[in-house]
């Protein structure tokens, strides 16, 4: 029995992601949501590279990913202008691993962001399930951060933001957090 397989160029192109062809998540380009509110939840541009292979898993990450199915991981490229990055949130059952591709990022963790590290080019940190975390580009140029989610199903049920993130969003516009709750986000990470 043969232990290897051969792939055609076409087959391998279907498992290739070209950075220049990546697009932000659909909700990120929704003009009805103020940019400061989207910045609480996402990197300015969250570009899906690899989504789960499960067609039943209708997550924002899966929807636009050019590569589907890679051993249960998802991978995105987070593009953040200077000073931008999502607020504290946790993943209930998955690990979130960050590798800096460009710029310098401040990674904060715990319910109140009381601990932190600065990461530079090719530095990597892996945050375990249940630990609140955030990242912010602290360099003067656009930052790029590779984000890999592993160890479980990365869906909307796995992510929760802190109450402080919800309060910050409500200061932008009363009731605005409901727009994200309708997409499946929760604001009870620190409850």
């Amino acid at each position: 029995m043969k232990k290897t397989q051969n792939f055609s160029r076409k087959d391998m192109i279907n498992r290739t992601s070209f950075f220049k062809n990546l697009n932000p998540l659909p909700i990120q380009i929704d003009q009805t949501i103020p940019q400061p509110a989207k910045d609480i939840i996402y990197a300015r541009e969250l570009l899906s590279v690899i989504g789960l292979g499960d067609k039943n898993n209708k997550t924002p990450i899966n929807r636009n990913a050019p590569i589907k199915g890679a051993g249960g991981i998802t991978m995105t490229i987070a593009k953040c202008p200077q000073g931008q990055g999502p607020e504290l949130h946790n993943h209930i059952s998955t690990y979130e691993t960050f590798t800096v591709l460009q710029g310098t990022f401040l990674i904060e963790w715990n319910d109140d962001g009381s601990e932190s590290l600065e990461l530079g080019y090719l530095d990597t940190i892996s945050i375990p399930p249940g630990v609140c975390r955030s990242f912010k580009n602290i360099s003067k140029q656009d930052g790029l951060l590779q984000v890999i989610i592993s160890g479980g199903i990365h869906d909307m049920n796995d992510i929760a933001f802190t109450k402080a993130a919800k309060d910050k969003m409500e200061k932008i516009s009363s009731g605005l957090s409901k727009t994200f709750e309708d997409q499946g986000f929760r604001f009870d990470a620190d409850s």
Side-chain angles (χ1 to χ4, degrees), residues 78-142:
K79 186 176 183 182
C80 301
Q82 180 182 10
Q84 197 272 324
E87 297 288 323
L88 285 166
H89 64 285
N90 78 356
H91 292 239
I92 297 162
S93 64
T94 57
Y95 291 81
E96 189 170 32
T97 302
F98 305 119
T99 301
V100 177
L101 303 177
Q102 179 177 298
T104 304
F105 281 83
L106 178 67
I107 310 297
E108 296 179 318
W109 65 91
N110 290 335
D111 290 358
D112 58 357
S114 60
E115 298 287 343
S116 66
L117 280 173
E118 287 184 20
L119 300 181
Y121 180 63
L122 296 182
D123 290 341
T124 300
I125 188 170
S126 184
I127 312 289
V131 176
C132 284
R133 78 290 309 258
S134 67
F135 58 86
K136 182 186 296 184
N137 175 15
I138 58 172
S139 57
K140 294 183 191 305
Q141 62 187 19
D142 280 353

Side-chain angles (χ1 to χ4, degrees), residues 40 162-174 177 187 190:
I40 291 170
T162 62
K163 185 176 181 326
K166 182 176 184 172
D167 293 345
K168 190 173 183 179
M169 190 172 293
E170 288 300 306
K171 287 179 183 174
I172 295 168
S173 178
S174 180
S177 61
F187 295 93
D190 51 348

Side-chain angles (χ1 to χ4, degrees), residues 43-77:
R44 182 66 53 88
E45 291 184 37
L46 193 57
L47 309 167
S48 295
V49 177
I50 300 173
L52 297 170
D54 182 359
K55 292 181 174 129
N56 296 323
N57 202 323
K58 305 276 190 229
T59 71
I61 302 300
N62 266 6
R63 201 166 295 136
N64 288 338
I67 301 170
K68 299 232 181 3
I73 68 163
T74 62
M75 186 174 91
T76 58
I77 302 293

